[in-house]
Amino acid sequence: MSFKFEKLLIWQKAMDLAEEIHELTKKFPKEELFNLTSQSNRSADSIALNIAEGSISQTSPEQHRFLGYAIRSIAEVVTCLYKAKRRKYISQEEFDKNYKDCFDLMNMTIGFKKNMN
């Protein structure tokens, strides 16, 4: 027994990304706890949450709307990564790896959304 979204590769990748971001933000300074740390984690968690919520929607427009929210959350994570890199909280290598993961997940999610039609 499982929920439909558990079988979706985009949901699985979103879950992995959120855990990676969570580990990355553990290194951020304490003064960022309620700012960049919190925002990074909330936006990363939001990706999988919206994919899951959209997958149980009753209508196609609802599914599209929640996938749109997931895509926006990916863009938010990317912006948080840029902020973290500029503030020297993460290395270029950490930025590159997570940026690529976000880029791949964004393309997968956009493709999934287009194939729903």
Side-chain angles (χ1 to χ4, degrees), residues 43 46-48 50-51 65-75 109:
S43 57
S46 180
I47 301 166
N50 280 299
I51 291 168
R65 183 166 39 99
F66 282 104
L67 288 171
Y69 296 154
I71 291 165
R72 288 180 190 95
S73 292
I74 296 168
T109 305

Side-chain angles (χ1 to χ4, degrees), residues 38-48 70 73-74 76-77 80:
S38 176
Q39 190 63 41
S40 298
N41 286 314
R42 285 184 292 118
S43 57
D45 286 344
S46 180
I47 301 166
S73 292
I74 296 168
E76 198 171 339
V77 171
C80 288

Side-chain angles (χ1 to χ4, degrees), residues 23-101:
E23 285 302 310
L24 198 61
T25 60
K26 286 181 179 180
K27 301 187 320 181
F28 290 7
K30 295 247 188 272
E31 67 261 18
E32 290 287 7
L33 185 61
F34 299 109
N35 294 314
L36 191 59
T37 300
S38 176
Q39 190 63 41
S40 298
N41 286 314
R42 285 184 292 118
S43 57
D45 286 344
S46 180
I47 301 166
L49 292 168
N50 280 299
I51 291 168
E53 192 167 355
S55 78
I56 61 167
S57 298
Q58 297 298 313
T59 65
S60 184
E62 278 184 322
Q63 291 173 330
H64 278 254
R65 183 166 39 99
F66 282 104
L67 288 171
Y69 296 154
I71 291 165
R72 288 180 190 95
S73 292
I74 296 168
E76 198 171 339
V77 171
V78 170
T79 302
C80 288
L81 288 169
Y82 271 105
K83 290 279 189 188
K85 184 179 80 164
R86 290 176 129 204
R87 295 175 187 176
K88 299 183 179 22
Y89 302 155
I90 62 174
S91 68
Q92 183 66 48
E93 294 77 25
E94 290 168 319
F95 174 86
D96 291 344
K97 189 242 182 277
N98 286 283
Y99 183 93
K100 182 184 180 326
D101 290 346

